Amino acid sequence: MSQHIGNMADILGNEQFLQSELSQSEKDPWRRRAPWKDVAITDLEPDDGLLVTHVNQTSELLRAEGKQLLANDNQTSEEWLTNHSLEHQKLTIHDLLSQGRVTTKKGDGDTKHLQFRLDVVDKFESRLYEVTDLYRQRMEWLMEGSRKTFGLVKGTRIGLLVDSSDANCGLGRLQDFQTALLSLLDEQFCYRKQFHFLSFGSDLAPLWETPRDVNVRTLDEARQWVQDLQPSGSCNLLKAMKRLVKVRKLNSLLIILGTCPDQAAEILSDYMQQCMLGRCLPIHAVAYDCSNHMTHATLEALAEISGGRYHSYSTGCETRMCWSSDIEVLVRESQRSSDVLEKIREIRQGLVGDALGSIMEEISTEVAKIPSSCFLPQPSNHDGPLCIETSSFLPKTSAEWLRQNGLKAKKLSLYQVLAPNAFSPLEEFVPILRKTVSSTLHGKAMMQLEWFDGTVKNVHVDPPLLYEYQKQLGRAVTRFESRAKWLSTGSRGMWGNVCERRAIILVDTSIYNSGHIIHIQHALRLLLEQQMTNKESFNLIAFGSEIKQYQPRMVPVTPDNLQAAWRWALALQCGGSRNFMGALKGATENDLGAEREPCGLYLFTSGVPDQGMDAVGAYVAEICGGLDLRLHVCLFSVEEFDPREAVPARYASPPETANALRELARTGRGRFHWFRETGILESDDIHLVLAEMEKAANYSQKCAVLVESLKRRSAKHSGAGARSGESSKTPVKRENHRPQKLLAPKPTALSLARRQAREESGEESSLPVKALTWRPSSGKADVPPAHSHKKWVHPCVENEMKWNKTTKLSKVMFYTDDGNKVGAVYQKYPKMKSVRKIVPFASLPKEEEICSTSLWLQRFSIKKLKLDLHKLASGPDCTHERKRVRALHRRVSAKYCATFPSVEISGVVKHLQLQPRELEEYIEQVERVLRRYLQRLQWLLSGSRRLFGTILEKRVCLLLDTSGSTDRYLAELKRELTSLIWEQLRKNSHSFNLLCFAECVDAWQDRLVEATDETCHDAIQWASKAVAHGNTCTLEALQKAFQYVDVQGIYLLTDGKPDTSCSLILKETQQMNQGRDIKIHTISFNCLDSTANEFLKKLAAQTRGRFHRCHGAIDGQLVAHKMLAGGFSDEDNPNLPAFEGDDLKRLSGEINKARRFLTQAKSFRALLLEKQVKPDQTGTGT
């Protein structure tokens, strides 16, 4: 039937077929009947009671015939299961139990039993088999035809996004992909109302601009469009989604991907989540024959966000060719039916006639004695082998993690941000005013804020700065939330974070945990799977009354040891009391002090020990104080004990237990973790992270209060200004808003003479005279100033006057209360240029830049970052001098020589006036710079840059020496060349050419070609055929390379001297390079000839290129890794190798310089701290 439907469009398009059918219709009498006439049908079958009289009776008819109706073609499995699930069919174990009868058997403690009739169980089991077979039939139907490849497509108006990238439509995949798409059109799309097609690669290729109705013509156009698909570059899924979501008539979206999209899954998910707001557009995401896990993760995320479904199809996997959300739902429901069937088999084993037998009676009796709170379900594959997860990093405690990622470490403390704009209020006594004067607060730009030390500071509020700071706080809180979520998942939710490299696990297997042994074993399983792979050694100790150890000593962490430890844990049985002391003594017998690495004891218990907490605490303090040992306590909180069960020898309520064990963890310098089945109750690690989040929220709230207060004050001042402007004609209101002026008395002869002398004085002409100017008290308007007469001044004198003007004082004159005495208040003091230099913040790039080390250090060297310790500590006021005093007839030191320590800087003795806090900041900045230098050093020594250096130019020519002397290294050279082509040339879109030179020059291409996948493959194939032979014609190779007009850089790799004269090559190269500025970068490959290396250095320096030699690369990597891992405590150990290449040599020199400054800064800090602890008591010199 499906084959006929698939060819329906072809039949309708056949004109001959239509004509033949029309001609045949003239012969058929029923075709010529009038529309009002009835038709007598005589070939009907006799009515047997099952005749269908209405379309809704179809399902009842098929059910009566013993057949099951398959789902509608447009129903998903979830929709189909609404009428076919076990709950709807009443086939769950609860439904079976409800059909039983509860009876009580006398003489057996009135134990209740559940009885079933045999025919009821048989009928229930038969129906279960039928439903299971129905699920199997539907899964087989879903794995037929186009549903197997693309899944079941739902929706009436569908938008189709087809991946036409090179990876999906190339390499022999296109024909099979087109065949699958044609099958999708014929089997599923032809029944829809509308569809819209769009293929995407680097660019978009839509079939139509708007959705089209499904008919014969549009189906033909769609088939032709599928057959015309061609590979079109990369996979720009985001661009295609932006195009298709604008189409508003669609109610379903089908995305078919065969490779990983260009955008990250987070970007695509965020975009679709924003587009789905207020709109229902489910996405049916299909992964077509793709093994990249990122593709599957992206499609699953898109389907989940939009409420759609996910489908995966693969031709390479025989066991799982297709998998989808529809099949997963059916498999899960089929598994449930199998579980019910298994329960029925268990019931049958205990059936005797129509009632349950003795086996079921014994099980029921034992189960009835156990409280329901003690039932813990056994996880799947509980007894199976471990699924060990590999961890690539050693976790840290939250305290250590926050030292590097906390608000203070990231300079995100509110007080750190506001410190440059915060000023302490001053209050000083002014003798001329005879009173104490306080500094005023600027009304519009500054607010008062309580500082962390309890003082109040005037803060300049910068809203853009605070807005950006709040964004950074938001990102930090997101990072803290991720940390808290990570700490509460998997085994970390039960054990906390196991951080030490050596760990001993102490497990409480006392009788009180007999109802939770499965839970304890499962917790051990998760711990061994998830947190033990990155450890060095471990051991397990189970304790009740007796102590059981997995091994007498700690064993290395290997897969075999972990599996053996799990098999040992499966055999554990609960019994006895809680012997903490015995478990701790057994742990200390594991040679804990044999290694320098710290060891962690992780105590997993559900109650207090049998011994007194004082004795246990004293013993823990003794063992943890003498060894590098930490005791961490994991408290598993169980329900209240049953009085019918064993009562602990020492019982405490849950809060008392938590307090006692928390104190025990503090005594052992460890962490406390408290959890129960429902989740974590208390965790030291999570508490620190949450406290940091609360601190960030508090900072953000304070920022909001500052900005809001500034807005209110600005609005208040603007409103006051507006009212002042509106009432400028009212004298009374104007006086309220203008500052009061001192009314001068009537001038006397003395004051007139003083004013006249003041006006005649040239030096004091700029001083204000408002206070000495008298006017009547009834004056209402300001007196306009008199026009000054400008005199001509020589330019040289004018410049000197301008410079002197900036240094003059500004003061206000006023009359005092004592007679006619005049006072003055200084308002402006000359600005003194500070000679102290603050430690700047080093701004460093996070990503590596493709440039030479010389250019990189022009922006990020110690000097450019202003971190030169000699300049910071060598101000003009730091000079230590001994001058001769004539009156004493001898040379004496400065007054404060005994106050400040004296250090020698560049051969000169200086006074060290830097504070310890400033040196701490300097050390922190230099360590940041050193880490960044070492990261770039590692980058320069990684990949193809180790041998070839960094390719800087966009159009380059590579000259490879294939003379006879390179025979031993030619295989290595070919491997490194392959890495260079893909890692640098292809990735950075270079244009390049290859030249091999020995006795003659052999060129790969006659010009520079663009680095594409095809050209890179071709270049590698060509280079793989190179054979080492003959001499070294370096000059001919350079002449060939200079023939390329558009070449920008030449990279010459050789292992020795050329055949011709070195001076001749230098001379010829200089002539060829005149007016072209082509840089020649030379690479010394396994060359130990100093003369040859000197020639390569001269050739590179002559053309402003770089010389590179990979000697010492491996040692440099090890040294850089050791310094990054171990810190910068020692200046001389480890030492960087003596690099000869220009890039590596310059960078290593800057690293050594930074390390010397760091060592000096630490010695200065130690000198200052010693000076503070032991102050000089000898007094100061005169």
Side-chain angles (χ1 to χ4, degrees), residues 86 127-137 139 333-334 337-338 341:
L86 296 181
R127 290 180 59 198
L128 269 176
Y129 278 116
E130 292 177 0
V131 171
T132 305
D133 186 63
L134 184 62
Y135 295 156
R136 180 188 58 79
Q137 293 178 18
M139 284 190 285
E333 196 71 13
S334 179
S337 65
S338 300
L341 286 172

Side-chain angles (χ1 to χ4, degrees), residues 74 153-161 188-197 208 210-214 244-245 247-255 279-284 309:
N74 203 29
V153 181
K154 182 177 174 61
T156 57
R157 297 178 175 85
I158 303 175
L160 174 63
L161 284 179
Q188 300 194 55
F189 272 50
C190 60
Y191 301 111
R192 305 298 181 253
K193 293 182 179 180
Q194 288 185 341
F195 48 36
H196 183 65
F197 296 93
W208 307 296
T210 58
R212 299 295 180 89
D213 294 333
V214 178
L244 206 58
V245 294
V247 182
R248 293 296 179 182
K249 296 182 180 180
L250 303 177
N251 57 16
S252 180
L253 183 60
L254 173 60
I255 299 178
R279 185 180 181 185
C280 181
L281 183 63
I283 295 177
H284 182 66
R309 289 166 298 126

Side-chain angles (χ1 to χ4, degrees), residues 1049-1087:
I1050 298 174
Y1051 288 78
L1052 173 64
L1053 183 142
T1054 181
D1055 69 336
K1057 292 192 299 182
D1059 295 341
T1060 57
S1061 172
C1062 296
S1063 59
L1064 177 62
I1065 295 177
L1066 294 174
K1067 182 179 179 181
E1068 292 294 332
T1069 303
Q1070 186 176 8
Q1071 293 179 358
M1072 290 186 293
N1073 201 22
Q1074 286 183 355
R1076 298 190 63 180
D1077 194 21
I1078 298 176
K1079 295 180 175 60
I1080 300 178
H1081 308 279
T1082 57
I1083 304 167
S1084 174
F1085 179 56
N1086 291 326
C1087 180

Side-chain angles (χ1 to χ4, degrees), residues 995-1177:
L995 298 180
C996 291
F997 62 94
E999 292 179 347
C1000 60
V1001 181
D1002 186 14
W1004 167 53
Q1005 299 286 348
D1006 56 354
R1007 57 183 176 82
L1008 302 183
V1009 296
E1010 184 180 356
T1012 62
D1013 292 344
E1014 293 79 6
T1015 57
C1016 290
H1017 280 296
D1018 190 19
I1020 294 171
Q1021 290 294 330
W1022 179 84
S1024 64
K1025 300 176 183 178
V1027 179
H1029 67 286
N1031 300 323
T1032 308
C1033 57
T1034 306
L1035 180 58
E1036 288 79 359
L1038 289 171
Q1039 290 172 347
K1040 181 68 174 178
F1042 272 99
Q1043 292 178 5
Y1044 302 124
V1045 181
D1046 51 351
V1047 68
Q1048 298 175 347
I1050 298 174
Y1051 288 78
L1052 173 64
L1053 183 142
T1054 181
D1055 69 336
K1057 292 192 299 182
D1059 295 341
T1060 57
S1061 172
C1062 296
S1063 59
L1064 177 62
I1065 295 177
L1066 294 174
K1067 182 179 179 181
E1068 292 294 332
T1069 303
Q1070 186 176 8
Q1071 293 179 358
M1072 290 186 293
N1073 201 22
Q1074 286 183 355
R1076 298 190 63 180
D1077 194 21
I1078 298 176
K1079 295 180 175 60
I1080 300 178
H1081 308 279
T1082 57
I1083 304 167
S1084 174
F1085 179 56
N1086 291 326
C1087 180
L1088 302 178
D1089 190 351
S1090 59
T1091 306
N1093 289 330
E1094 287 298 325
F1095 159 70
L1096 295 177
K1097 292 179 182 179
K1098 291 179 181 179
L1099 181 59
Q1102 178 178 283
T1103 58
R1104 295 190 301 159
R1106 293 166 297 131
F1107 170 73
H1108 182 77
R1109 188 184 179 197
C1110 60
H1111 174 71
I1114 299 178
D1115 295 339
Q1117 281 277 21
L1118 294 177
V1119 171
H1121 175 73
K1122 185 174 181 180
M1123 283 195 288
L1124 286 175
F1128 315 104
S1129 58
D1130 192 353
E1131 176 189 0
D1132 299 325
N1133 188 22
N1135 289 326
L1136 287 172
F1139 294 109
E1140 295 186 29
D1142 292 341
D1143 284 341
L1144 298 175
K1145 186 177 181 180
R1146 290 191 178 97
L1147 186 57
S1148 61
E1150 199 70 17
I1151 291 174
N1152 293 332
K1153 181 179 179 181
R1155 294 179 69 184
R1156 289 196 302 271
F1157 283 160
L1158 182 61
T1159 304
Q1160 288 183 351
K1162 291 180 178 179
S1163 64
F1164 291 169
R1165 180 185 60 183
L1167 188 61
L1168 286 174
L1169 294 178
E1170 182 181 357
K1171 193 74 174 178
Q1172 291 178 357
V1173 174
K1174 298 178 180 180
D1176 191 6
Q1177 301 295 335

